[in-house]
Amino acid sequence: MQSARRSLLAACVALTLAPALALADGLRPLNDSALSDVRGRDGVSFDLNGFSMNGDLRVSYTRPDGASIWAGNPSASRSDSATPFSDPYRFDVVRSTNGLADIAQFNLPQNLNGEQKWQLAYDFGVNADGIDRDGGSIVVSDLALYGGGWQFSTPRTQDGLALGVALRMDVGQWALRPNGRANMAGQMALDNIRIGATDENGNFTGQPWVFADVARQPALVNALADENGPRLHIGIGAPDAQYGTGQAASGGIEIGKISFTAPSGNVDLGSSRIGNIQINYLDIKFRQ
């Protein structure tokens, strides 16, 4: 009996050690060069299930002569995916594939079924030339984002921040309501807006439109100094043939309906579409 127990114990030990010994046999030591190529991935994912915001926040911009414009009283809410955290926002730090600096990348949810839709609104006003007036409200309904996002990195040759931006967006309605967000009288409305990448024939591809890419066509935000002092500078460089095709990405904008609501009746201006847009170069310098 005791001999049988010893045999059973030996068999159990052998079964336990066999996988470990086989695994150890497949291991090999790594030198410093090989270890330096082992990289993790830094990042975070998060979701906004049940997100809703209302408040009396107010942001104003005032010129040196006292004229100002403001926006305030924002509200925002979002419908959610059927399964929480199944399609999150992602922020990652990734290694560049072409030997450039690492890239901080903020990716929007893919939203393939269009379940994530935003409802947004804010008020605005202006005080200039002796006129202090509430301008009304901007109301955005059923805004859906499908992939895309932002990239942040170090410019190759200049100081500042290199940016990449990609966007695919559908909007149910964008409305300017001069009498307040709940009053549709006198509003101007743009319905069924689409923005995204297009092919050579101007057809939407279902992919985000890449306005700028940190490698192929970087955008740049920095400060430039001249005889008048420092200025904020925002630009998009020409397409880079070394790290891309040398061609700017194509995108399109479509508005299904443009309308005005007036006391005498509604005015329908029809639809509008630009099937092929390319940003080959952009250079904006702000004056003090």
Side-chain angles (χ1 to χ4, degrees):
M1 184 69 177
Q2 191 171 3
S3 175
R5 288 179 179 174
R6 284 198 297 269
S7 298
L8 180 60
L9 179 60
C12 291
V13 171
L15 288 173
T16 303
L17 293 179
L21 292 173
L23 181 62
D25 185 60
L27 297 177
R28 60 184 177 84
L30 296 177
N31 57 32
D32 290 342
S33 177
L35 285 172
S36 67
D37 290 332
V38 177
R39 290 177 177 265
R41 183 171 181 176
D42 298 324
V44 63
S45 299
F46 62 93
D47 206 350
L48 295 176
N49 269 49
F51 178 85
S52 179
M53 179 190 75
N54 288 280
D56 56 1
L57 173 70
R58 180 164 169 155
V59 178
S60 300
Y61 170 75
T62 303
R63 296 190 326 200
D65 62 2
S68 65
I69 186 171
W70 62 268
N73 307 316
S75 66
S77 63
R78 196 198 76 168
S79 58
D80 302 320
S81 299
T83 304
F85 207 73
S86 61
D87 192 11
Y89 297 82
R90 293 187 58 90
F91 183 81
D92 298 299
V93 179
V94 298
R95 190 178 185 181
S96 174
T97 58
N98 45 32
L100 301 177
D102 288 352
I103 300 169
Q105 194 164 273
F106 180 70
N107 294 319
L108 298 172
Q110 295 299 307
N111 198 20
L112 297 178
N113 297 322
E115 297 172 309
Q116 299 182 13
K117 293 184 178 180
W118 289 90
Q119 316 299 323
L120 309 170
Y122 65 90
D123 304 327
F124 70 95
V126 64
N127 184 352
D129 300 325
I131 300 174
D132 186 1
R133 178 175 175 80
D134 291 345
S137 303
I138 300 294
V139 180
V140 181
S141 305
D142 294 337
L143 184 153
L145 300 168
Y146 300 88
W150 293 268
Q151 299 171 315
F152 308 91
S153 190
T154 304
R156 295 200 296 270
T157 60
Q158 303 182 56
D159 294 331
L161 179 66
L163 298 174
V165 182
L167 176 69
R168 181 191 164 201
M169 178 176 72
D170 291 354
V171 181
Q173 184 182 79
W174 180 95
L176 168 60
R177 296 178 178 173
N179 298 305
R181 63 185 67 182
N183 190 340
M184 298 175 62
Q187 80 167 7
M188 179 185 75
L190 309 180
D191 292 274
N192 301 322
I193 303 170
R194 298 178 66 193
I195 300 175
T198 56
D199 60 21
E200 63 274 9
N201 297 316
N203 300 312
F204 286 105
T205 65
Q207 298 300 314
W209 177 13
V210 181
F211 296 93
D213 181 90
V214 292
R216 299 189 298 270
Q217 190 181 12
L220 178 67
V221 178
N222 62 359
L224 297 179
D226 56 21
E227 64 276 6
N228 297 316
R231 296 184 180 185
L232 176 64
H233 170 243
I234 299 175
I236 298 178
D240 193 325
Q242 180 181 359
Y243 298 106
T245 63
Q247 298 291 324
S250 297
I253 300 175
E254 179 181 275
I255 303 174
K257 180 181 177 181
I258 305 172
S259 63
F260 293 85
T261 303
S264 58
N266 296 338
V267 179
D268 187 348
L269 300 182
S271 61
S272 179
R273 176 184 171 90
I274 304 176
N276 213 313
I277 305 171
Q278 289 180 302
I279 302 176
N280 287 291
Y281 186 76
L282 179 68
D283 190 56
I284 301 173
K285 297 182 178 71
F286 291 87
R287 295 188 301 177
Q288 288 184 321

